[in-house]
Amino acid sequence: MSQQSNLQREPLLDSLRRELEGLDRDDLLWRIRTLQSPSAPHARVDGKNVLVLCSNNYLGLANHPKLKQAAITATRKYGAGSGSVRVIAGTMDIHLKLEKILAEYRRAEASITFQSGYATNAGTILALVDERDLIISDELNHGSIIDGCRMTKAERRVYKHKDISDLEKQLQNTDRFRRILIITDGVFSMDGDIAPLKDIVDLAMKYQAITYVDDAHGDGVLGENGRGITNHFHLEGKVDVDMGTFSKAFGCVGGYVVGSKDLCTYLQNKVRSYLLSGSQPPGVPGACIAAIQLLKKNPSLVKKLWDNTRYFKKALKELGFDTGQSETPITPVMVGESGKAHKLADEMFRLGVFVLPIVFPMVGKDKARIRTIVTSAHTKKDLDQAADAFQKAGKKLSLI
Ligand SMILES: Cc1ncc(COP(=O)(O)O)c(C=O)c1O
């Protein structure tokens, strides 16, 4: 017969409250702001008109008339929902049209789309490796990659950020593994630096490893007409799993993999987030198609993004801020302690600029920062206004 112990377990809500109080004390609690208008450089946030410098809407497409119209047209034609998961009755011709157009745009044989970038990473990594395999992952990879890796039974090794010689060290003593998966962010989401993908691909070839790049922040940003990191490094067709998202530069939502036809067919049959979760509402592939068509026709969108990026980075550096190692439109303003990052973000908001404090666990405990992201929709006047606010707030908080 089982025995009842005298143990008193802490009631759930008491323990959750205690944890939340701890997070609050350490300045690690999310204070979520609310947009009351579209995602655009000038938006209404928490009842105040502000300049937005923290969205991932790199090309200003989230509120673009062509995307809105495409979403409305697809919704009128197909309805609000898809009715099912992709493999049962949730594949509509508009999902297939997006996959065809995406593969052509990315010059790949095929593509497969998912509900989000998170669902793509979590599901795809799990589908590719098991206890017979090894994953080697950059230490600063995105949380969705980390979660995907944790779900598998594969052995895991982590290499120092972008350190090719450490990666090669991790590739030693690997004869017993069936597969070795080297996985990296393309553009690192908190720092804005770019993975040395060419060197990674070369090493992978030497050790017969598989390469997987998460190009969430390179999509629409790097390469010709925003074709991403593989185009940027002339590696199209050389990376086994080329993953991206529609939630950033494409202005919509959803994730994808482009690659060989066999890989995509395999993923259709094996990725649990594809098999077990409802497919995208038809308005989403409708808007994503419009985004790709716009990108193909308008190189000026990406060019303006880079002009703005260079202009704003220079302004921040001239003011004396530490902007880390960024090479892309993600520009961190390093402050160190999480409390300081919150104070700087609050002061910026008071001055009319919406920026985001990034604190532990998204970055190391002493590496809190403000992450700024300029977009092609910002004007030089907007960027001057933002730099001016950074100067005032930075001086007030003795950061410069
Ligand atoms: C590097 C990286 N990968 C994946 C994701 C997840 O993408 P999604 O927002 O489409 O789920 C993000 C988004 O935060 C990201 O920054």
Side-chain angles (χ1 to χ4, degrees), residues 44-91:
R44 192 149 182 89
V45 179
D46 287 351
K48 188 174 162 120
N49 293 334
V50 290
L51 178 67
V52 178
L53 211 62
C54 56
S55 85
N56 296 135
N57 185 15
Y58 287 106
L59 301 174
L61 297 185
N63 191 39
H64 193 286
K66 288 228 158 92
L67 269 74
K68 288 199 281 190
Q69 189 52 54
I72 292 166
T73 306
T75 304
R76 284 223 173 88
K77 180 168 178 194
Y78 297 92
S82 71
S84 182
V85 301
R86 284 288 300 265
V87 284
I88 301 184
T91 293

Side-chain angles (χ1 to χ4, degrees), residues 68-309:
K68 288 199 281 190
Q69 189 52 54
I72 292 166
T73 306
T75 304
R76 284 223 173 88
K77 180 168 178 194
Y78 297 92
S82 71
S84 182
V85 301
R86 284 288 300 265
V87 284
I88 301 184
T91 293
M92 293 169 155
D93 52 10
I94 197 158
H95 293 111
L96 299 183
K97 185 173 172 193
L98 170 59
E99 285 165 352
K100 184 165 181 293
I101 285 176
L102 174 64
E104 279 164 15
Y105 166 66
R106 295 295 306 274
R107 298 181 180 136
E109 210 174 88
S111 86
I112 172 170
T113 57
F114 303 85
Q115 304 87 341
S116 71
Y118 185 95
T120 309
N121 277 337
T124 303
I125 297 168
L126 181 60
L128 289 175
V129 289
D130 63 24
E131 61 278 0
R132 294 167 288 178
D133 305 317
L134 170 68
I135 300 173
I136 311 183
S137 177
D138 186 290
E139 67 179 336
L140 294 189
N141 276 343
H142 188 256
S144 56
I145 294 179
I146 296 171
D147 289 2
C149 295
R150 280 183 183 152
M151 280 198 279
T152 74
K153 294 201 169 103
E155 187 170 315
R156 283 175 263 146
R157 296 180 188 171
V158 173
Y159 65 97
K160 288 190 198 125
H161 182 48
K162 292 181 28 173
D163 186 333
I164 290 299
S165 55
D166 193 41
L167 172 58
E168 184 149 27
K169 247 190 241 159
Q170 306 305 330
L171 281 158
Q172 306 308 310
N173 303 318
T174 50
D175 286 357
R176 67 183 182 281
F177 298 108
R178 176 191 61 156
R179 291 181 188 151
I180 305 169
L181 180 66
I182 303 175
I183 185 158
T184 182
D185 275 17
V187 173
F188 288 86
S189 55
M190 299 300 152
D191 294 88
D193 51 343
I194 302 175
L197 197 60
K198 170 90 178 59
D199 296 341
I200 294 174
V201 168
D202 287 347
L203 262 192
M205 280 170 74
K206 181 169 164 192
Y207 288 89
Q208 298 173 58
I210 305 159
T211 43
Y212 184 129
V213 67
D214 172 341
D215 205 19
H217 292 274
D219 272 335
V221 172
L222 295 177
E224 178 206 2
N225 292 48
R227 284 187 169 84
I229 192 165
T230 50
N231 176 278
H232 172 79
F233 282 119
H234 308 293
L235 289 169
E236 279 157 329
K238 300 223 164 80
V239 171
D240 297 290
V241 187
D242 188 353
M243 175 271 169
T245 173
F246 293 110
S247 70
K248 304 189 190 298
F250 291 94
C252 308
V253 72
Y256 68 83
V257 168
V258 294
S260 70
K261 196 165 180 316
D262 288 342
L263 170 73
C264 294
T265 307
Y266 179 83
L267 297 179
Q268 277 179 346
N269 284 278
K270 291 285 185 182
V271 171
R272 293 173 70 78
S273 49
Y274 185 88
L275 295 164
L276 302 174
S277 180
S279 64
Q280 290 198 317
V284 172
C288 292
I289 291 168
I292 295 172
Q293 283 166 342
L294 264 171
L295 263 162
K296 277 163 83 174
K297 276 196 217 131
N298 294 292
S300 59
L301 276 174
V302 181
K303 185 180 172 307
K304 176 94 186 296
L305 174 67
W306 281 95
D307 286 349
N308 281 350
T309 297

